[in-house]
Amino acid sequence: MGRAPCCDKANVKKGPWSPEEDAKLKAYIQQHGTGGNWISLPQKIGLKRCGKSCRLRWLNYLRPNIKHGGFSEEEDEIICSLYVSIGSRWSVIAAHLPGRTDNDIKNYWNTRLKKKLTGNNKQNFNQDLKRSESGDNSTLFYNNNQNPYCPQPGIPMDASQSQFVNSDCSNLDGTNTLQGQTSFSLERSDGMEFLYGDDIANGTSSLVCPPFASGMLQHYAPDQDHISLL
DNA sequence: AAGCCCCCCAACCGCTATACC
DNA sequence: GGGTATAGCGGTTGGGGGGCT
């Protein structure tokens, strides 16, 4: 048996909020506060809404000092650098941007920033892959055996995987363990496939290639045109 | 002008964390 | 300590609007 629903779904209105509903909710909360109980709040006001829906509406749109749209370059950078270091913890990221909500930042990331960064990095990685095809492995990320491709048979890694963890591939000083989430793959002309991913634990981006693992690379700085090599 | 497609974003859903009894 | 209610969070969806053909 699952948990009882938080509200009577049949008698609850869904979809966009009307100006009247907004006004009711805003006026009530400004006068009485939430009382620490969102579930009972719609009944008190006379709204046919789920308490969760009221909470979301207030937090994301009605509470004072909310900003919408018009993200600045500085905000872009903060979002990108935090995403790289802590991942998709939108509420934590929102806490660093006064007036921004987690929902707003999440939408902004998914619709704009992710594409922007992925596009830039694809270009960069393509350049490095081309270099490696001509025998220039200077940009590759070596493992402890100084092998650019970290040949470690049996590492469970393939293009369908969205997560990777590889302690066999590390930085030259042995400190870096790859751990992150893949976001796209690139295929070299010799057929070798490289997965690109954010190395969340270390705040860097890496390339990994099955069944080996290797990396190339760069600190994830959105304003950088070029890869800074490790 | 009409139809189609794509993108954006408000809102919902389901899960986990926390508080309380 | 266990059970339940609620808050909070992140992933996902789908309606609407704008652009393109």
Side-chain angles (χ1 to χ4, degrees), chain A residues 154-166:
Chain A
I155 295 170
M157 193 179 291
D158 63 56
S160 63
Q161 264 188 264
S162 62
Q163 302 282 335
F164 62 85
V165 176
N166 182 7

Side-chain angles (χ1 to χ4, degrees), chain A residues 112-183:
Chain A
R112 315 274 182 85
L113 286 180
K114 190 164 69 177
K115 286 177 195 164
K116 185 174 152 188
L117 289 180
T118 300
N120 287 346
N121 280 296
K122 266 189 175 173
Q123 278 186 352
N124 292 337
F125 285 123
N126 264 322
Q127 285 171 10
D128 275 11
L129 284 180
K130 281 200 169 65
R131 267 207 298 279
S132 72
E133 283 170 7
S134 62
D136 174 7
N137 286 333
S138 62
T139 58
L140 292 177
F141 183 77
Y142 285 72
N143 72 350
N144 290 333
N145 298 324
Q146 308 296 297
N147 185 319
Y149 294 112
C150 308
Q152 296 287 341
I155 295 170
M157 193 179 291
D158 63 56
S160 63
Q161 264 188 264
S162 62
Q163 302 282 335
F164 62 85
V165 176
N166 182 7
S167 58
D168 294 320
C169 183
S170 60
N171 208 341
L172 282 173
D173 63 6
T175 59
N176 190 2
T177 297
L178 295 181
Q179 179 174 7
Q181 182 152 18
T182 56
S183 55

Side-chain angles (χ1 to χ4, degrees), chain A residues 13 42 76 78 85 160 170 206:
Chain A
K13 186 184 168 194
D76 284 5
I78 292 170
S85 59
S160 63
S170 60
S206 304

